[in-house]
Amino acid sequence: MPAADDPADAPADARAADPGGADPADAATDQAIPYRFDRTAAAGELQERYASLAAGEETGDEVAVAGRVMLVRPQGRLAFATLRDASGQVQLFALKAETDRFDTFAKLSLGDWVGASGRIVKTRKGELSVKVRDWVLLAKARRGFGDKWKGITDVETRYRQREVDLWANERTREVLTMRSRVLSALRRDLESQGFIEVETPMLHPIPGGAAAKPFVTHHNALDADLYLRIAPELYLKRLVVGGFERVFEIGRVFRNEGVSPRHNPEFTMLELYQAYADHTDLVPLLEQLVATVATEVRGTTRVQCEGREVDLTPPWRRASLAELTSEAVGEAVDVHSDPADLRRLLAAAGQDPHPGWGPGKLLLELFEKTAETSLWGPLFVTGFPAEVSPLARRDRHDPMLAERFEVIVAGRELVNGFSELNDPDDQRKRFEAQASARAAGDEEAMMVDEEYLRALEHGLPPTAGLGIGIDRLVMLLADVANIREVIAFPTLRPER
């Protein structure tokens, strides 16, 4: 048998001295399950290795496989079971005359974990199989896995019990596997360009780096409130001040906002920063990065999304926020427009503008309300107002604008990037304006971060940075419409 270390083989005195203090009533069940299993082959590997085996042909090759039983079909003195592992599936073929404990094998339940050893054969119907000689139960499934043909279709069950969803629905495994491949491809590509991966704190004394409402917690030993990070941006730029010229971080960020098909309170961001560069240098870098990842995980830069094609082949279209908004509302608007006109147009679009909003904020809200969701892309939206870009450098030709872009794909923001503001005096004024907005009731506005301002006073060279929403990138490449599909365990309401 490939199983080893069966506790039933241990000395009696060793079993009696169990430090776990197990209930004696459970001893028989516990000792029936081996502590480990020596598998010699994975299902996917066997399917590939024996693809040319003819129907009805047997081999003398002995293998040991392990996985979950996803289907059992007893037929008198024969029994068939479908065994699935992480790589694929293979059939177990049992004969009463040749299989150890045949009757028990034939009564296995859907979801049971088993290990089995035997010879490789292909049945007369052409099904690659392990002709079972010995087998062992590795874990008993006490709960079911849904309909054996349809899997699990209830959305609440799928998201709340992902461990069940993964076995019942192959598509879920494909999407989460693709997510892993996307992350690996991003890392390889950036490292090949000289970027180094770093880690920055997740607990921040001051929330910063983005406009968002943070989660707050309390550290008892320090007797201080701390915030789950809403972005790693300010710490990453402090590393650039310290001499790291190309850095990136892939990690979780947390924003205390609503849940929707596009939003989860905790999500994954990639942020990168490059010294001696401005936002225009990031455009070809980003185009190439996304195209490379798409080619690696999908085999093409032309992907399907919600029934339409998205062509990620560089170069991507560029258009200004003012231009796109003007097209959407039917009249010319920009950051220099009369605020009264912007308020009128915003009210006509169904939104009540806040009395404290300036022309930049009004224009951005008008763009998001009227234009953004209809843009298919990939599209670089440029010319964002400086008023809503407190960490971005002002446009060298128009101080009312920032040197900032967003990339819109399939009606949603995928990337935000800009030339980084490196003037500590200007940054302080913008922080103070944000703090005033916060004091007036804007829970997403930033605070004044004195530690970051002190770092800027040491000198931040010309720098450009961007952030990519990893979850949304995977949504695009996997062609799914809900962010919960690409997060293994999405945030849900407490179960009642």
Side-chain angles (χ1 to χ4, degrees):
M1 276 293 290
D5 296 340
D6 189 327
D9 295 331
D13 57 342
R15 298 197 301 272
D18 176 15
D23 188 331
D26 295 330
T29 300
D30 181 60
Q31 292 179 8
I33 302 297
Y35 276 65
R36 61 189 302 276
F37 183 85
D38 290 325
R39 184 176 67 169
T40 64
E45 173 192 345
L46 293 176
Q47 294 289 356
E48 183 177 344
R49 190 193 310 172
Y50 295 98
S52 61
L53 196 65
E57 186 176 351
E58 295 196 19
T59 75
D61 299 342
E62 290 271 348
V63 297
V65 293
R68 276 196 191 272
V69 172
M70 303 307 294
L71 181 67
V72 180
R73 292 181 291 116
Q75 298 180 4
R77 302 177 70 83
L78 299 175
F80 300 91
T82 299
L83 185 81
R84 180 183 295 163
D85 63 18
S87 68
Q89 63 186 39
V90 68
Q91 181 171 265
L92 301 182
F93 168 40
L95 289 168
K96 186 175 180 66
E98 300 183 22
T99 302
D100 181 44
R101 292 173 290 118
F102 173 85
D103 292 338
T104 307
F105 179 91
K107 294 177 182 178
L108 285 169
S109 300
L110 178 66
D112 286 349
W113 291 83
V114 302
S117 62
R119 297 191 309 277
I120 290 291
V121 302
K122 187 166 280 190
T123 65
R124 284 177 292 179
K125 292 186 177 180
E127 189 74 26
L128 186 69
S129 306
V130 176
K131 192 174 184 181
V132 179
R133 182 186 72 254
D134 299 320
W135 69 278
V136 62
L137 182 68
L138 300 177
K140 184 67 181 173
R142 299 187 182 187
R143 294 175 180 265
F145 278 79
D147 185 279
K148 66 183 178 182
W149 303 113
K150 297 180 181 179
I152 296 175
T153 56
D154 179 69
V155 171
E156 177 76 8
T157 301
R158 289 187 56 239
Y159 297 149
R160 198 173 293 281
Q161 301 180 46
R162 187 67 92 186
E163 64 276 10
V164 179
D165 181 33
L166 285 165
W167 285 105
N169 299 314
E170 185 176 359
R171 175 61 174 159
T172 302
R173 297 195 306 279
E174 292 175 349
V175 170
L176 293 183
T177 299
M178 180 181 290
R179 181 190 181 100
S180 175
R181 295 180 62 203
V182 166
L183 291 171
S184 295
L186 288 168
R187 284 188 166 98
R188 284 194 301 273
D189 192 279
L190 289 174
E191 288 169 353
S192 73
Q193 298 185 60
F195 285 86
I196 64 168
E197 185 170 8
V198 297
E199 293 180 310
T200 61
M202 288 194 179
L203 289 175
H204 289 188
I206 292 178
K213 183 180 178 181
F215 289 95
V216 62
T217 186
H218 187 80
H219 190 285
N220 292 334
L222 297 178
D223 191 23
D225 286 341
L226 295 173
Y227 302 87
L228 292 178
R229 71 177 178 191
I230 56 176
E233 177 170 341
L234 302 187
Y235 283 96
L236 290 171
K237 287 191 285 191
R238 287 170 66 178
L239 291 177
V240 178
V241 171
F244 286 93
E245 297 179 359
R246 295 189 176 204
V247 296
F248 76 96
E249 181 172 9
I250 298 176
R252 287 295 177 104
V253 295
F254 307 84
R255 299 182 182 180
N256 200 349
E257 57 190 16
V259 176
S260 77
R262 299 183 181 186
H263 297 89
N264 194 68
E266 59 173 313
F267 57 98
T268 303
M269 288 280 290
L270 182 158
E271 289 206 12
L272 66 83
Y273 293 86
Q274 178 176 337
Y276 316 121
D278 67 12
H279 70 301
T280 63
D281 295 296
L282 298 181
V283 170
L285 182 153
L286 177 64
E287 290 173 327
Q288 173 270 321
L289 181 64
V290 173
T292 298
V293 172
T295 302
E296 183 161 333
V297 302
R298 290 294 305 272
T300 178
T301 55
R302 304 169 74 95
V303 299
Q304 290 296 313
C305 180
E306 300 177 25
R308 294 177 60 183
E309 183 180 84
V310 176
D311 188 355
L312 299 171
T313 308
W316 302 345
R317 180 191 170 199
R318 280 80 156 159
S320 73
L321 183 142
E323 173 190 347
L324 296 166
T325 308
S326 298
E327 291 175 359
V329 300
E331 60 181 271
V333 292
D334 60 27
V335 73
H336 301 286
S337 296
D338 187 332
D341 289 334
L342 297 174
R343 291 178 183 279
R344 168 179 55 81
L345 291 168
L346 198 53
Q351 183 165 334
D352 184 21
H354 189 280
W357 289 353
K361 176 66 171 176
L362 290 168
L363 181 64
L364 176 63
E365 291 289 330
L366 189 60
F367 164 75
E368 292 178 347
K369 192 71 175 179
T370 63
E372 184 178 55
T373 57
S374 64
L375 300 174
W376 194 248
L379 167 66
F380 283 97
V381 181
T382 61
F384 277 75
E387 179 186 344
V388 293
S389 310
L391 298 169
R393 196 164 184 175
R394 295 182 188 275
D395 187 284
R396 65 199 74 184
H397 304 297
D398 186 345
M400 290 285 285
L401 299 177
E403 294 200 343
R404 172 185 169 190
F405 63 76
E406 286 187 1
V407 174
I408 306 297
V409 183
R412 50 185 177 249
E413 177 194 346
L414 181 65
V415 181
N416 185 26
F418 41 82
S419 302
E420 302 297 333
L421 177 57
N422 59 353
D423 180 343
D425 297 327
D426 191 0
Q427 184 65 81
R428 180 176 291 279
K429 291 177 183 177
R430 301 220 219 156
F431 274 158
E432 290 173 348
Q434 287 282 302
S436 297
R438 189 179 185 85
D442 185 351
E443 295 181 309
E444 295 187 350
M446 298 180 192
M447 302 179 186
V448 177
D449 190 330
E450 292 291 349
E451 288 190 2
Y452 179 66
L453 290 171
R454 182 177 62 196
L456 285 186
E457 290 172 353
H458 285 290
L460 174 68
T463 300
L466 61 78
I468 303 175
I470 296 298
D471 308 280
R472 291 184 179 180
L473 177 59
V474 179
M475 288 172 66
L476 170 66
L477 296 178
D479 188 16
V480 296
N482 195 314
I483 195 172
R484 293 180 176 183
E485 297 289 347
V486 302
I487 298 175
F489 297 98
T491 304
L492 303 170
R493 293 183 184 276
E495 191 171 13
R496 294 180 180 178

